[in-house]
Amino acid sequence: MDEKPSTRKSPEFCSLRYGLALIMHFSNFTMITQRVSLSIAIIAMVNSTQQPGLSNTSTERPLAFTFNHSNRSIKEFNTAEVSVYEWSPETQGIIFSSINYGIILTLIPSGYLAGIFGAKQMLGAGLLISSLLTLFTPLAADFGVILVIVIRTVQGMAQGMAWTGQFTIWAKWAPPLERSKLTSIAGSGSAFGSFIILCVGGLISQTLGWPFIFYIFGSIGCVCCLLWFTVIYDDPLHHPCISIREKEHIVSSLTQQSSSPRRSVPIKSMVRCLPLWAIFTGFFSHFWLCTIIITYLPTYISSVLRVNIRDSGVLSSLPFIAAASCTILGGQLADFLLSRNLLRLITVRKLFSSLGLLLPSLCAVALPFVASSYTTTIILLILIPGTSNLCDSGFIINTLDVAPRYASFLMGISRGFGLIAGIISSTATGFLISQDSVSGWRNVFFLAAAVNMFGLVFYLTFGQAEIQHWAKERTLTRL
């Protein structure tokens, strides 16, 4: 088995590191709600069937007009003043994927800089910028699709800063035998956030108007920033409220990881490292299907099952309850198997990676054949995100095993591969369903399953869990 860390215990769920996981859960919750807001709002934004004969801008007066006539009631604002846009499926695909372009631009540099200057400031700043841009999205939509794409791209850059910095924090806060638990608690915020925004987004759109989806969750993000800057610290050594017992437990469990400053990144060694490429391939495959589900699930339910925006949002939210539950339970099970020495670390990583890539692929392939069955379709749509999130205890955190010193930098690259997949899959999905809805959705799910299978085979072949030689201290002291 891989080198065993210290198993000395400290109180768990009352400890500061689990409080950190909950706050990071809330941060991930906030970011994903801001990202997915457009997926549910766009159903109303482009719903020209209610008011035919629209121009390329709004049905009547632009949204800006309402800001100059604030004495109108909210009901009147919803029914007459909210803009409706003629955005084709191809245009919607570009808008959805634009946030991924922004994330890619900042993933690698922010991951490296977070490891040097500290993740607290970068993650907090990214969350704040993303929240402010969410508040401005409705106004940007009224000025045209180009500004929406620009806003979403910059928002992606901000979220790239925030997401990448998390692994820098966990490299210093998470004992090896608790990594799956802590990262799964934090990561489940994304699934829970997707559930909430999809569940209440349609209701907000129908009762208050689609702009309020952005106003509400942008405001929540600003509140989360205050909590983040107040409570979070980059490492346990400098946190004023941590107990001596917990601090000693964390530090002693991480003794095999050097704390000397990082002076250089061994890029050549990383490029030649097949275990890293196995992780990157896993991310690419995982994000391909996940992006389709997160982005197009409301559209799929609305168009295939023929339900209204409110019911579409509620139904779209159900899969993410399963996703949040599987994320947390998967992390608990993975660490249980490791702490009891039932399975080797690499076996656990490959087991959960296999479940997280194979099971959702089978569900995706089955979807086109059960489209006529309302209940079966919903069950399969629930299972796809739920089983897919088992990967969070597999290759998703594998960089903490193979190169903990470079976890944040490598997570940036890993997410970069995943977001490239997201860009391709979002754009391809928009193109395929614009040609023919029935055959288009079938091709979308078949292609996603094929990509998942490729990633699974590659990871099972080349994945490892040992710290790589270039990630050890002796490699760095020579530089």
Side-chain angles (χ1 to χ4, degrees), residues 178-185 188 322-338 348-349 351-353 355 386-394 397:
E178 298 177 31
R179 282 173 179 165
S180 296
K181 290 180 185 177
L182 292 168
T183 57
S184 64
I185 291 173
S188 64
S325 301
C326 286
T327 300
I328 296 175
L329 294 177
Q332 297 288 329
L333 178 58
D335 281 345
F336 173 81
L337 295 173
L338 291 173
V348 170
R349 297 289 180 249
L351 171 63
F352 282 88
S353 297
L355 294 174
T387 55
S388 181
N389 273 29
L390 293 174
C391 289
D392 283 17
S393 297
I397 62 170

PDB file of all heavy atoms in Angstrom, residues 178-185 188 322-338 348-349 351-353 355 386-394 397:
ATOM      1  N   GLU A 178      -8.386  12.100   5.494  1.00  0.00           N
ATOM      2  CA  GLU A 178      -9.650  12.836   5.521  1.00  0.00           C
ATOM      3  C   GLU A 178      -9.871  13.641   4.246  1.00  0.00           C
ATOM      4  O   GLU A 178     -10.837  14.412   4.153  1.00  0.00           O
ATOM      5  CB  GLU A 178      -9.682  13.775   6.735  1.00  0.00           C
ATOM      6  CG  GLU A 178      -9.607  13.064   8.069  1.00  0.00           C
ATOM      7  CD  GLU A 178      -9.569  14.055   9.231  1.00  0.00           C
ATOM      8  OE1 GLU A 178     -10.158  15.145   9.121  1.00  0.00           O
ATOM      9  OE2 GLU A 178      -8.931  13.737  10.253  1.00  0.00           O
ATOM     10  N   ARG A 179      -9.005  13.480   3.276  1.00  0.00           N
ATOM     11  CA  ARG A 179      -9.113  14.302   2.069  1.00  0.00           C
ATOM     12  C   ARG A 179     -10.412  14.067   1.321  1.00  0.00           C
ATOM     13  O   ARG A 179     -11.051  15.014   0.853  1.00  0.00           O
ATOM     14  CB  ARG A 179      -7.925  14.014   1.148  1.00  0.00           C
ATOM     15  CG  ARG A 179      -6.642  14.689   1.583  1.00  0.00           C
ATOM     16  CD  ARG A 179      -5.468  14.249   0.745  1.00  0.00           C
ATOM     17  NE  ARG A 179      -4.248  14.933   1.165  1.00  0.00           N
ATOM     18  CZ  ARG A 179      -3.030  14.543   0.815  1.00  0.00           C
ATOM     19  NH1 ARG A 179      -2.884  13.471   0.048  1.00  0.00           N
ATOM     20  NH2 ARG A 179      -1.976  15.217   1.219  1.00  0.00           N
ATOM     21  N   SER A 180     -10.798  12.821   1.186  1.00  0.00           N
ATOM     22  CA  SER A 180     -12.035  12.532   0.453  1.00  0.00           C
ATOM     23  C   SER A 180     -13.240  13.128   1.171  1.00  0.00           C
ATOM     24  O   SER A 180     -14.144  13.688   0.539  1.00  0.00           O
ATOM     25  CB  SER A 180     -12.216  11.018   0.289  1.00  0.00           C
ATOM     26  OG  SER A 180     -11.191  10.469  -0.503  1.00  0.00           O
ATOM     27  N   LYS A 181     -13.269  13.014   2.505  1.00  0.00           N
ATOM     28  CA  LYS A 181     -14.381  13.580   3.259  1.00  0.00           C
ATOM     29  C   LYS A 181     -14.456  15.093   3.092  1.00  0.00           C
ATOM     30  O   LYS A 181     -15.505  15.655   2.764  1.00  0.00           O
ATOM     31  CB  LYS A 181     -14.229  13.260   4.749  1.00  0.00           C
ATOM     32  CG  LYS A 181     -14.432  11.815   5.139  1.00  0.00           C
ATOM     33  CD  LYS A 181     -14.253  11.687   6.648  1.00  0.00           C
ATOM     34  CE  LYS A 181     -14.318  10.231   7.090  1.00  0.00           C
ATOM     35  NZ  LYS A 181     -14.069  10.113   8.545  1.00  0.00           N
ATOM     36  N   LEU A 182     -13.334  15.772   3.363  1.00  0.00           N
ATOM     37  CA  LEU A 182     -13.332  17.230   3.360  1.00  0.00           C
ATOM     38  C   LEU A 182     -13.613  17.795   1.975  1.00  0.00           C
ATOM     39  O   LEU A 182     -14.415  18.716   1.815  1.00  0.00           O
ATOM     40  CB  LEU A 182     -11.986  17.742   3.890  1.00  0.00           C
ATOM     41  CG  LEU A 182     -11.726  17.470   5.379  1.00  0.00           C
ATOM     42  CD1 LEU A 182     -10.277  17.751   5.739  1.00  0.00           C
ATOM     43  CD2 LEU A 182     -12.656  18.312   6.237  1.00  0.00           C
ATOM     44  N   THR A 183     -12.947  17.248   0.964  1.00  0.00           N
ATOM     45  CA  THR A 183     -13.162  17.766  -0.392  1.00  0.00           C
ATOM     46  C   THR A 183     -14.559  17.429  -0.903  1.00  0.00           C
ATOM     47  O   THR A 183     -15.132  18.184  -1.693  1.00  0.00           O
ATOM     48  CB  THR A 183     -12.104  17.220  -1.360  1.00  0.00           C
ATOM     49  OG1 THR A 183     -12.122  15.776  -1.347  1.00  0.00           O
ATOM     50  CG2 THR A 183     -10.714  17.707  -0.978  1.00  0.00           C
ATOM     51  N   SER A 184     -15.123  16.308  -0.466  1.00  0.00           N
ATOM     52  CA  SER A 184     -16.477  15.963  -0.905  1.00  0.00           C
ATOM     53  C   SER A 184     -17.517  16.862  -0.242  1.00  0.00           C
ATOM     54  O   SER A 184     -18.513  17.237  -0.867  1.00  0.00           O
ATOM     55  CB  SER A 184     -16.783  14.490  -0.617  1.00  0.00           C
ATOM     56  OG  SER A 184     -16.787  14.227   0.776  1.00  0.00           O
ATOM     57  N   ILE A 185     -17.289  17.221   1.032  1.00  0.00           N
ATOM     58  CA  ILE A 185     -18.206  18.163   1.688  1.00  0.00           C
ATOM     59  C   ILE A 185     -18.163  19.514   0.977  1.00  0.00           C
ATOM     60  O   ILE A 185     -19.201  20.115   0.676  1.00  0.00           O
ATOM     61  CB  ILE A 185     -17.843  18.325   3.173  1.00  0.00           C
ATOM     62  CG1 ILE A 185     -18.139  17.028   3.939  1.00  0.00           C
ATOM     63  CG2 ILE A 185     -18.616  19.489   3.798  1.00  0.00           C
ATOM     64  CD1 ILE A 185     -17.658  17.035   5.379  1.00  0.00           C
ATOM     65  N   SER A 188     -19.593  19.193  -2.666  1.00  0.00           N
ATOM     66  CA  SER A 188     -21.031  18.951  -2.777  1.00  0.00           C
ATOM     67  C   SER A 188     -21.823  20.246  -2.830  1.00  0.00           C
ATOM     68  O   SER A 188     -23.001  20.246  -3.195  1.00  0.00           O
ATOM     69  CB  SER A 188     -21.516  18.095  -1.594  1.00  0.00           C
ATOM     70  OG  SER A 188     -21.355  18.789  -0.361  1.00  0.00           O
ATOM     71  N   ALA A 322     -29.385  14.118  -5.712  1.00  0.00           N
ATOM     72  CA  ALA A 322     -28.664  12.850  -5.788  1.00  0.00           C
ATOM     73  C   ALA A 322     -27.172  13.100  -5.919  1.00  0.00           C
ATOM     74  O   ALA A 322     -26.355  12.386  -5.314  1.00  0.00           O
ATOM     75  CB  ALA A 322     -29.173  12.028  -6.980  1.00  0.00           C
ATOM     76  N   ALA A 323     -26.788  14.116  -6.684  1.00  0.00           N
ATOM     77  CA  ALA A 323     -25.367  14.419  -6.869  1.00  0.00           C
ATOM     78  C   ALA A 323     -24.721  14.836  -5.556  1.00  0.00           C
ATOM     79  O   ALA A 323     -23.622  14.373  -5.204  1.00  0.00           O
ATOM     80  CB  ALA A 323     -25.205  15.513  -7.923  1.00  0.00           C
ATOM     81  N   ALA A 324     -25.386  15.729  -4.810  1.00  0.00           N
ATOM     82  CA  ALA A 324     -24.835  16.169  -3.523  1.00  0.00           C
ATOM     83  C   ALA A 324     -24.717  15.004  -2.547  1.00  0.00           C
ATOM     84  O   ALA A 324     -23.713  14.865  -1.839  1.00  0.00           O
ATOM     85  CB  ALA A 324     -25.711  17.274  -2.935  1.00  0.00           C
ATOM     86  N   SER A 325     -25.738  14.155  -2.510  1.00  0.00           N
ATOM     87  CA  SER A 325     -25.720  13.011  -1.596  1.00  0.00           C
ATOM     88  C   SER A 325     -24.612  12.035  -1.951  1.00  0.00           C
ATOM     89  O   SER A 325     -23.868  11.563  -1.070  1.00  0.00           O
ATOM     90  CB  SER A 325     -27.076  12.294  -1.630  1.00  0.00           C
ATOM     91  OG  SER A 325     -28.121  13.172  -1.269  1.00  0.00           O
ATOM     92  N   CYS A 326     -24.475  11.728  -3.242  1.00  0.00           N
ATOM     93  CA  CYS A 326     -23.440  10.781  -3.667  1.00  0.00           C
ATOM     94  C   CYS A 326     -22.044  11.337  -3.445  1.00  0.00           C
ATOM     95  O   CYS A 326     -21.108  10.587  -3.140  1.00  0.00           O
ATOM     96  CB  CYS A 326     -23.629  10.425  -5.147  1.00  0.00           C
ATOM     97  SG  CYS A 326     -25.027   9.331  -5.461  1.00  0.00           S
ATOM     98  N   THR A 327     -21.884  12.647  -3.587  1.00  0.00           N
ATOM     99  CA  THR A 327     -20.577  13.256  -3.346  1.00  0.00           C
ATOM    100  C   THR A 327     -20.139  13.049  -1.903  1.00  0.00           C
ATOM    101  O   THR A 327     -19.015  12.627  -1.622  1.00  0.00           O
ATOM    102  CB  THR A 327     -20.616  14.757  -3.674  1.00  0.00           C
ATOM    103  OG1 THR A 327     -20.959  14.931  -5.050  1.00  0.00           O
ATOM    104  CG2 THR A 327     -19.257  15.394  -3.420  1.00  0.00           C
ATOM    105  N   ILE A 328     -21.030  13.355  -0.967  1.00  0.00           N
ATOM    106  CA  ILE A 328     -20.692  13.236   0.454  1.00  0.00           C
ATOM    107  C   ILE A 328     -20.543  11.769   0.860  1.00  0.00           C
ATOM    108  O   ILE A 328     -19.575  11.394   1.526  1.00  0.00           O
ATOM    109  CB  ILE A 328     -21.757  13.936   1.307  1.00  0.00           C
ATOM    110  CG1 ILE A 328     -21.765  15.439   1.013  1.00  0.00           C
ATOM    111  CG2 ILE A 328     -21.508  13.686   2.794  1.00  0.00           C
ATOM    112  CD1 ILE A 328     -22.863  16.200   1.722  1.00  0.00           C
ATOM    113  N   LEU A 329     -21.492  10.938   0.472  1.00  0.00           N
ATOM    114  CA  LEU A 329     -21.432   9.518   0.831  1.00  0.00           C
ATOM    115  C   LEU A 329     -20.224   8.837   0.198  1.00  0.00           C
ATOM    116  O   LEU A 329     -19.584   7.976   0.819  1.00  0.00           O
ATOM    117  CB  LEU A 329     -22.723   8.815   0.402  1.00  0.00           C
ATOM    118  CG  LEU A 329     -23.998   9.249   1.136  1.00  0.00           C
ATOM    119  CD1 LEU A 329     -25.214   8.534   0.564  1.00  0.00           C
ATOM    120  CD2 LEU A 329     -23.869   8.976   2.636  1.00  0.00           C
ATOM    121  N   GLY A 330     -19.910   9.216  -1.037  1.00  0.00           N
ATOM    122  CA  GLY A 330     -18.735   8.648  -1.691  1.00  0.00           C
ATOM    123  C   GLY A 330     -17.460   8.993  -0.954  1.00  0.00           C
ATOM    124  O   GLY A 330     -16.574   8.150  -0.781  1.00  0.00           O
ATOM    125  N   GLY A 331     -17.350  10.250  -0.495  1.00  0.00           N
ATOM    126  CA  GLY A 331     -16.171  10.643   0.270  1.00  0.00           C
ATOM    127  C   GLY A 331     -16.063   9.893   1.584  1.00  0.00           C
ATOM    128  O   GLY A 331     -14.974   9.472   1.993  1.00  0.00           O
ATOM    129  N   GLN A 332     -17.194   9.718   2.271  1.00  0.00           N
ATOM    130  CA  GLN A 332     -17.189   8.967   3.524  1.00  0.00           C
ATOM    131  C   GLN A 332     -16.767   7.515   3.299  1.00  0.00           C
ATOM    132  O   GLN A 332     -15.961   6.960   4.052  1.00  0.00           O
ATOM    133  CB  GLN A 332     -18.593   9.010   4.153  1.00  0.00           C
ATOM    134  CG  GLN A 332     -19.066  10.396   4.549  1.00  0.00           C
ATOM    135  CD  GLN A 332     -18.350  10.934   5.774  1.00  0.00           C
ATOM    136  OE1 GLN A 332     -17.953  10.182   6.651  1.00  0.00           O
ATOM    137  NE2 GLN A 332     -18.181  12.246   5.822  1.00  0.00           N
ATOM    138  N   LEU A 333     -17.312   6.901   2.249  1.00  0.00           N
ATOM    139  CA  LEU A 333     -16.989   5.508   1.969  1.00  0.00           C
ATOM    140  C   LEU A 333     -15.536   5.340   1.569  1.00  0.00           C
ATOM    141  O   LEU A 333     -14.864   4.393   2.009  1.00  0.00           O
ATOM    142  CB  LEU A 333     -17.908   4.980   0.857  1.00  0.00           C
ATOM    143  CG  LEU A 333     -17.672   3.529   0.416  1.00  0.00           C
ATOM    144  CD1 LEU A 333     -17.820   2.573   1.594  1.00  0.00           C
ATOM    145  CD2 LEU A 333     -18.625   3.153  -0.706  1.00  0.00           C
ATOM    146  N   ALA A 334     -15.027   6.255   0.760  1.00  0.00           N
ATOM    147  CA  ALA A 334     -13.634   6.164   0.322  1.00  0.00           C
ATOM    148  C   ALA A 334     -12.674   6.237   1.504  1.00  0.00           C
ATOM    149  O   ALA A 334     -11.743   5.423   1.628  1.00  0.00           O
ATOM    150  CB  ALA A 334     -13.331   7.278  -0.684  1.00  0.00           C
ATOM    151  N   ASP A 335     -12.900   7.200   2.398  1.00  0.00           N
ATOM    152  CA  ASP A 335     -12.016   7.317   3.557  1.00  0.00           C
ATOM    153  C   ASP A 335     -12.206   6.166   4.533  1.00  0.00           C
ATOM    154  O   ASP A 335     -11.270   5.778   5.242  1.00  0.00           O
ATOM    155  CB  ASP A 335     -12.260   8.654   4.265  1.00  0.00           C
ATOM    156  CG  ASP A 335     -11.585   9.810   3.543  1.00  0.00           C
ATOM    157  OD1 ASP A 335     -10.725   9.544   2.687  1.00  0.00           O
ATOM    158  OD2 ASP A 335     -11.927  10.969   3.817  1.00  0.00           O
ATOM    159  N   PHE A 336     -13.407   5.593   4.607  1.00  0.00           N
ATOM    160  CA  PHE A 336     -13.625   4.408   5.441  1.00  0.00           C
ATOM    161  C   PHE A 336     -12.790   3.240   4.919  1.00  0.00           C
ATOM    162  O   PHE A 336     -12.130   2.525   5.698  1.00  0.00           O
ATOM    163  CB  PHE A 336     -15.109   4.041   5.446  1.00  0.00           C
ATOM    164  CG  PHE A 336     -15.406   2.732   6.132  1.00  0.00           C
ATOM    165  CD1 PHE A 336     -15.493   2.664   7.514  1.00  0.00           C
ATOM    166  CD2 PHE A 336     -15.579   1.568   5.399  1.00  0.00           C
ATOM    167  CE1 PHE A 336     -15.758   1.467   8.150  1.00  0.00           C
ATOM    168  CE2 PHE A 336     -15.843   0.365   6.021  1.00  0.00           C
ATOM    169  CZ  PHE A 336     -15.931   0.309   7.406  1.00  0.00           C
ATOM    170  N   LEU A 337     -12.808   3.016   3.608  1.00  0.00           N
ATOM    171  CA  LEU A 337     -12.032   1.926   3.018  1.00  0.00           C
ATOM    172  C   LEU A 337     -10.537   2.111   3.251  1.00  0.00           C
ATOM    173  O   LEU A 337      -9.806   1.139   3.473  1.00  0.00           O
ATOM    174  CB  LEU A 337     -12.324   1.834   1.519  1.00  0.00           C
ATOM    175  CG  LEU A 337     -13.758   1.444   1.132  1.00  0.00           C
ATOM    176  CD1 LEU A 337     -13.944   1.559  -0.376  1.00  0.00           C
ATOM    177  CD2 LEU A 337     -14.083   0.035   1.612  1.00  0.00           C
ATOM    178  N   LEU A 338     -10.092   3.367   3.224  1.00  0.00           N
ATOM    179  CA  LEU A 338      -8.667   3.627   3.436  1.00  0.00           C
ATOM    180  C   LEU A 338      -8.283   3.510   4.911  1.00  0.00           C
ATOM    181  O   LEU A 338      -7.259   2.914   5.248  1.00  0.00           O
ATOM    182  CB  LEU A 338      -8.321   5.036   2.923  1.00  0.00           C
ATOM    183  CG  LEU A 338      -8.368   5.243   1.408  1.00  0.00           C
ATOM    184  CD1 LEU A 338      -8.162   6.712   1.066  1.00  0.00           C
ATOM    185  CD2 LEU A 338      -7.308   4.380   0.726  1.00  0.00           C
ATOM    186  N   VAL A 348      -8.901   2.442  -4.466  1.00  0.00           N
ATOM    187  CA  VAL A 348     -10.041   3.291  -4.137  1.00  0.00           C
ATOM    188  C   VAL A 348     -10.249   4.347  -5.217  1.00  0.00           C
ATOM    189  O   VAL A 348     -11.378   4.585  -5.676  1.00  0.00           O
ATOM    190  CB  VAL A 348      -9.833   3.956  -2.766  1.00  0.00           C
ATOM    191  CG1 VAL A 348     -10.897   5.033  -2.518  1.00  0.00           C
ATOM    192  CG2 VAL A 348      -9.881   2.916  -1.661  1.00  0.00           C
ATOM    193  N   ARG A 349      -9.152   4.989  -5.645  1.00  0.00           N
ATOM    194  CA  ARG A 349      -9.277   6.027  -6.663  1.00  0.00           C
ATOM    195  C   ARG A 349      -9.843   5.452  -7.969  1.00  0.00           C
ATOM    196  O   ARG A 349     -10.713   6.054  -8.604  1.00  0.00           O
ATOM    197  CB  ARG A 349      -7.918   6.679  -6.916  1.00  0.00           C
ATOM    198  CG  ARG A 349      -7.334   7.410  -5.722  1.00  0.00           C
ATOM    199  CD  ARG A 349      -8.096   8.676  -5.416  1.00  0.00           C
ATOM    200  NE  ARG A 349      -7.523   9.364  -4.267  1.00  0.00           N
ATOM    201  CZ  ARG A 349      -8.106   9.482  -3.087  1.00  0.00           C
ATOM    202  NH1 ARG A 349      -9.315   8.950  -2.892  1.00  0.00           N
ATOM    203  NH2 ARG A 349      -7.526  10.128  -2.097  1.00  0.00           N
ATOM    204  N   LEU A 351     -11.604   2.646  -8.335  1.00  0.00           N
ATOM    205  CA  LEU A 351     -12.955   2.137  -8.123  1.00  0.00           C
ATOM    206  C   LEU A 351     -13.988   3.249  -8.276  1.00  0.00           C
ATOM    207  O   LEU A 351     -14.972   3.106  -9.016  1.00  0.00           O
ATOM    208  CB  LEU A 351     -13.058   1.509  -6.733  1.00  0.00           C
ATOM    209  CG  LEU A 351     -14.474   1.111  -6.276  1.00  0.00           C
ATOM    210  CD1 LEU A 351     -15.051   0.028  -7.194  1.00  0.00           C
ATOM    211  CD2 LEU A 351     -14.455   0.634  -4.821  1.00  0.00           C
ATOM    212  N   PHE A 352     -13.760   4.368  -7.588  1.00  0.00           N
ATOM    213  CA  PHE A 352     -14.727   5.463  -7.647  1.00  0.00           C
ATOM    214  C   PHE A 352     -14.709   6.158  -9.006  1.00  0.00           C
ATOM    215  O   PHE A 352     -15.744   6.663  -9.466  1.00  0.00           O
ATOM    216  CB  PHE A 352     -14.474   6.453  -6.510  1.00  0.00           C
ATOM    217  CG  PHE A 352     -14.988   5.971  -5.183  1.00  0.00           C
ATOM    218  CD1 PHE A 352     -14.199   5.180  -4.358  1.00  0.00           C
ATOM    219  CD2 PHE A 352     -16.272   6.287  -4.773  1.00  0.00           C
ATOM    220  CE1 PHE A 352     -14.682   4.730  -3.139  1.00  0.00           C
ATOM    221  CE2 PHE A 352     -16.767   5.839  -3.559  1.00  0.00           C
ATOM    222  CZ  PHE A 352     -15.974   5.059  -2.736  1.00  0.00           C
ATOM    223  N   SER A 353     -13.567   6.182  -9.651  1.00  0.00           N
ATOM    224  CA  SER A 353     -13.503   6.744 -11.005  1.00  0.00           C
ATOM    225  C   SER A 353     -14.306   5.881 -11.973  1.00  0.00           C
ATOM    226  O   SER A 353     -15.014   6.401 -12.845  1.00  0.00           O
ATOM    227  CB  SER A 353     -12.047   6.848 -11.470  1.00  0.00           C
ATOM    228  OG  SER A 353     -11.311   7.735 -10.653  1.00  0.00           O
ATOM    229  N   LEU A 355     -16.891   3.887 -11.255  1.00  0.00           N
ATOM    230  CA  LEU A 355     -18.318   4.064 -11.002  1.00  0.00           C
ATOM    231  C   LEU A 355     -18.809   5.409 -11.528  1.00  0.00           C
ATOM    232  O   LEU A 355     -19.906   5.514 -12.085  1.00  0.00           O
ATOM    233  CB  LEU A 355     -18.590   3.953  -9.499  1.00  0.00           C
ATOM    234  CG  LEU A 355     -18.338   2.588  -8.856  1.00  0.00           C
ATOM    235  CD1 LEU A 355     -18.518   2.673  -7.343  1.00  0.00           C
ATOM    236  CD2 LEU A 355     -19.259   1.523  -9.444  1.00  0.00           C
ATOM    237  N   GLY A 386     -25.846  12.064 -10.118  1.00  0.00           N
ATOM    238  CA  GLY A 386     -25.566  11.397  -8.853  1.00  0.00           C
ATOM    239  C   GLY A 386     -24.391  10.445  -8.951  1.00  0.00           C
ATOM    240  O   GLY A 386     -23.433  10.518  -8.167  1.00  0.00           O
ATOM    241  N   THR A 387     -24.444   9.543  -9.912  1.00  0.00           N
ATOM    242  CA  THR A 387     -23.358   8.575 -10.068  1.00  0.00           C
ATOM    243  C   THR A 387     -22.088   9.234 -10.594  1.00  0.00           C
ATOM    244  O   THR A 387     -20.978   8.825 -10.252  1.00  0.00           O
ATOM    245  CB  THR A 387     -23.794   7.450 -11.019  1.00  0.00           C
ATOM    246  OG1 THR A 387     -24.232   8.020 -12.267  1.00  0.00           O
ATOM    247  CG2 THR A 387     -24.936   6.650 -10.421  1.00  0.00           C
ATOM    248  N   SER A 388     -22.245  10.273 -11.406  1.00  0.00           N
ATOM    249  CA  SER A 388     -21.068  10.950 -11.958  1.00  0.00           C
ATOM    250  C   SER A 388     -20.216  11.579 -10.863  1.00  0.00           C
ATOM    251  O   SER A 388     -18.985  11.611 -10.962  1.00  0.00           O
ATOM    252  CB  SER A 388     -21.511  12.010 -12.960  1.00  0.00           C
ATOM    253  OG  SER A 388     -20.408  12.661 -13.538  1.00  0.00           O
ATOM    254  N   ASN A 389     -20.847  12.059  -9.799  1.00  0.00           N
ATOM    255  CA  ASN A 389     -20.102  12.725  -8.738  1.00  0.00           C
ATOM    256  C   ASN A 389     -19.321  11.777  -7.843  1.00  0.00           C
ATOM    257  O   ASN A 389     -18.585  12.217  -6.953  1.00  0.00           O
ATOM    258  CB  ASN A 389     -21.059  13.563  -7.879  1.00  0.00           C
ATOM    259  CG  ASN A 389     -21.248  14.951  -8.456  1.00  0.00           C
ATOM    260  OD1 ASN A 389     -21.147  15.156  -9.661  1.00  0.00           O
ATOM    261  ND2 ASN A 389     -21.514  15.912  -7.602  1.00  0.00           N
ATOM    262  N   LEU A 390     -19.431  10.483  -8.063  1.00  0.00           N
ATOM    263  CA  LEU A 390     -18.549   9.546  -7.364  1.00  0.00           C
ATOM    264  C   LEU A 390     -17.103   9.754  -7.776  1.00  0.00           C
ATOM    265  O   LEU A 390     -16.179   9.355  -7.053  1.00  0.00           O
ATOM    266  CB  LEU A 390     -18.987   8.102  -7.660  1.00  0.00           C
ATOM    267  CG  LEU A 390     -20.354   7.689  -7.078  1.00  0.00           C
ATOM    268  CD1 LEU A 390     -20.738   6.302  -7.569  1.00  0.00           C
ATOM    269  CD2 LEU A 390     -20.332   7.735  -5.556  1.00  0.00           C
ATOM    270  N   CYS A 391     -16.886  10.401  -8.919  1.00  0.00           N
ATOM    271  CA  CYS A 391     -15.524  10.719  -9.358  1.00  0.00           C
ATOM    272  C   CYS A 391     -14.817  11.659  -8.397  1.00  0.00           C
ATOM    273  O   CYS A 391     -13.579  11.755  -8.415  1.00  0.00           O
ATOM    274  CB  CYS A 391     -15.552  11.369 -10.749  1.00  0.00           C
ATOM    275  SG  CYS A 391     -15.982  10.248 -12.098  1.00  0.00           S
ATOM    276  N   ASP A 392     -15.574  12.355  -7.541  1.00  0.00           N
ATOM    277  CA  ASP A 392     -14.952  13.273  -6.595  1.00  0.00           C
ATOM    278  C   ASP A 392     -14.037  12.558  -5.619  1.00  0.00           C
ATOM    279  O   ASP A 392     -13.145  13.183  -5.023  1.00  0.00           O
ATOM    280  CB  ASP A 392     -16.037  14.029  -5.818  1.00  0.00           C
ATOM    281  CG  ASP A 392     -16.658  15.140  -6.637  1.00  0.00           C
ATOM    282  OD1 ASP A 392     -16.498  15.123  -7.879  1.00  0.00           O
ATOM    283  OD2 ASP A 392     -17.313  16.024  -6.061  1.00  0.00           O
ATOM    284  N   SER A 393     -14.246  11.269  -5.417  1.00  0.00           N
ATOM    285  CA  SER A 393     -13.349  10.475  -4.571  1.00  0.00           C
ATOM    286  C   SER A 393     -12.382   9.654  -5.415  1.00  0.00           C
ATOM    287  O   SER A 393     -11.656   8.813  -4.873  1.00  0.00           O
ATOM    288  CB  SER A 393     -14.162   9.538  -3.659  1.00  0.00           C
ATOM    289  OG  SER A 393     -14.977  10.276  -2.785  1.00  0.00           O
ATOM    290  N   GLY A 394     -12.377   9.919  -6.710  1.00  0.00           N
ATOM    291  CA  GLY A 394     -11.463   9.228  -7.625  1.00  0.00           C
ATOM    292  C   GLY A 394     -10.412  10.169  -8.156  1.00  0.00           C
ATOM    293  O   GLY A 394      -9.644  10.765  -7.397  1.00  0.00           O
ATOM    294  N   ILE A 397      -9.539  14.204  -6.972  1.00  0.00           N
ATOM    295  CA  ILE A 397      -8.595  14.623  -5.928  1.00  0.00           C
ATOM    296  C   ILE A 397      -7.265  13.886  -6.039  1.00  0.00           C
ATOM    297  O   ILE A 397      -6.446  13.942  -5.125  1.00  0.00           O
ATOM    298  CB  ILE A 397      -9.196  14.427  -4.528  1.00  0.00           C
ATOM    299  CG1 ILE A 397      -9.503  12.947  -4.256  1.00  0.00           C
ATOM    300  CG2 ILE A 397     -10.431  15.262  -4.339  1.00  0.00           C
ATOM    301  CD1 ILE A 397      -9.863  12.676  -2.810  1.00  0.00           C
TER     302      ILE A 397
END
